[in-house]
Amino acid sequence: MEGGASAFARLKAAWGRARERWWVRWGVDLVVFALLLSAVAAWQARNLPGAGTPAPDFSYQTLAGDTVRLDSLRGKPVVLAFWAPWCGVCGAESSNLSQLRRLAGDSAHVVSVAVAYDDEEAVRRFAREHAVDYPVLLGDDAIQSAFRVNTFPTVFFLSKEGRVERAAVGYTTLAGLSWRLLL
């Protein structure tokens, strides 16, 4: 029993010496932070359609009056962002989606779906105020329910075949959007 306590004491002392180095402290803190962030992200996305699930089919009009169907987006990866005009976080994320659209160019579709709005003018106002330059679909409760979205913003990353590959709930940086698109 004493040998186990001695080994523990030596391990504790070695750990104490290692923690005196700044790069060990920062490295451990960053790993713990990344694990915590990953756990929160997984918990937030727990009720969303899982990876490999076919994305629910849809056909909705854009603010410009065009009709967009999910099958018309096949052949390229799709970033499908759900938002609400009253959502401040959605407004903060909208510039990241615009930048992603410019970075992705013709290699991916970046499309958003406005839901949980009172009238179309609220959606138009949001798009104007946030200089939205990607297609905005006028969604409804049916698409929100089909994708099981109950938090805004929620972004889905679809394969070129129209399957859900991953999802992100809450604010996502340009780096986070780009990384998820490239995976």
Side-chain angles (χ1 to χ4, degrees), residues 15 20 36 39 50 81 88 93 124 128 141 173:
W15 177 244
E20 290 173 4
L36 183 63
E93 186 178 74
R124 289 186 183 284
R128 268 192 319 273
D141 292 344
T173 64

Side-chain angles (χ1 to χ4, degrees), residues 107-178:
S107 65
H109 296 287
V110 177
V111 180
S112 74
V113 182
V115 291
Y117 58 90
D118 291 328
D119 57 29
E120 189 176 318
E121 183 51 37
V123 177
R124 289 186 183 284
R125 188 172 39 257
F126 179 96
R128 268 192 319 273
E129 289 173 0
H130 297 285
V132 171
D133 63 353
Y134 44 84
V136 175
L137 304 180
L138 296 168
D140 57 16
D141 292 344
I143 192 169
Q144 186 176 345
S145 178
F147 277 89
R148 295 182 272 189
V149 172
N150 60 14
T151 305
F152 303 108
T154 296
V155 181
F156 288 92
F157 299 84
L158 309 179
S159 70
K160 58 185 178 181
E161 296 83 24
R163 294 189 172 280
V164 174
E165 289 189 339
R166 63 196 57 79
V169 177
Y171 178 82
T172 307
T173 64
L174 175 60
L177 291 168
S178 301

Side-chain angles (χ1 to χ4, degrees), residues 33 37 79 89 92-101 103 153 155 157 168-181:
F33 181 72
L37 211 56
V79 177
V89 177
E93 186 178 74
S94 67
S95 65
N96 297 340
L97 291 167
S98 291
Q99 290 177 41
L100 179 67
R101 182 174 188 232
L103 285 173
V155 181
F157 299 84
V169 177
Y171 178 82
T172 307
T173 64
L174 175 60
L177 291 168
S178 301
W179 177 72
R180 287 176 177 96
L181 180 61

